Amino acid sequence: MSLVVEKLETALELQQDEPDKFSVEKLKAYGGSDPQKPLLMAIKGQIYDVSQSRMFYGPGGPYSVFAGKDASRALAKMSFEENDMNDDLTCLNEFELDALQDWEDKFQSRYVKVGTIKKLKGTPEASTANQTH
């Protein structure tokens, strides 16, 4: 089976309960603890299937801490700290926002987008609204 077909099947499987919307809790289930599930991570609220790079984002990989999370802040700050594993882009400087944009461009060109982070009712939309280029 071709890689494109596999990616499309994965995307369809993930969208069965609510098309392309993931809660933060649901995303955690795709952090690599179950090798039968795709490996997902998010940047700026956009969720990507990074299964093809399991050696980097999967358990034991150098970027495994990012899997199953929206790692926007951590990627912008080039941080591996747990408290930076979120979508909060407030107080980031221009260098950090540029770094995040580079990561987003890389993900858009390499990985299939499979969904977005679903915000809970009563919470502001992604904190990236006023922080992107």
Side-chain angles (χ1 to χ4, degrees):
M1 184 180 322
S2 79
L3 186 58
V4 173
V5 172
E6 287 177 16
K7 287 181 179 182
L8 289 173
E9 286 178 353
T10 297
L12 290 173
E13 171 190 318
L14 294 172
Q15 295 175 4
Q16 286 177 0
D17 61 356
E18 186 176 343
D20 79 352
K21 297 285 185 178
F22 286 73
S23 67
V24 172
E25 286 303 312
K26 180 178 177 181
L27 182 58
K28 287 179 184 178
Y30 296 90
S33 59
D34 182 347
Q36 300 303 312
K37 288 185 177 180
L39 192 59
L40 306 179
M41 67 176 283
I43 296 178
K44 292 167 50 175
Q46 306 304 302
I47 302 170
Y48 297 91
D49 183 341
V50 296
S51 299
Q52 72 187 44
S53 297
R54 191 169 288 273
M55 67 290 251
F56 294 109
Y57 298 101
Y63 301 123
S64 62
V65 70
F66 302 136
K69 301 173 183 121
D70 187 322
S72 300
R73 185 173 189 81
L75 292 170
K77 295 175 71 64
M78 297 181 210
S79 168
F80 289 88
E81 298 297 322
E82 189 63 36
N83 63 332
D84 286 326
M85 299 298 160
N86 59 66
D87 67 347
D88 180 9
L89 303 184
T90 58
C91 300
L92 294 180
N93 64 38
E94 185 176 340
F95 174 79
E96 292 166 332
L97 291 171
D98 287 344
L100 179 58
Q101 187 61 51
D102 289 345
W103 277 103
E104 184 178 31
D105 292 344
K106 176 182 174 180
F107 273 65
Q108 287 175 341
S109 69
R110 290 190 182 170
Y111 305 113
V112 173
K113 179 183 161 194
V114 295
T116 58
I117 298 290
K118 175 173 54 177
K119 294 295 180 178
L120 299 175
K121 291 181 181 173
T123 61
E125 283 304 311
S127 59
T128 61
N130 296 320
Q131 298 292 322
T132 57
H133 300 166

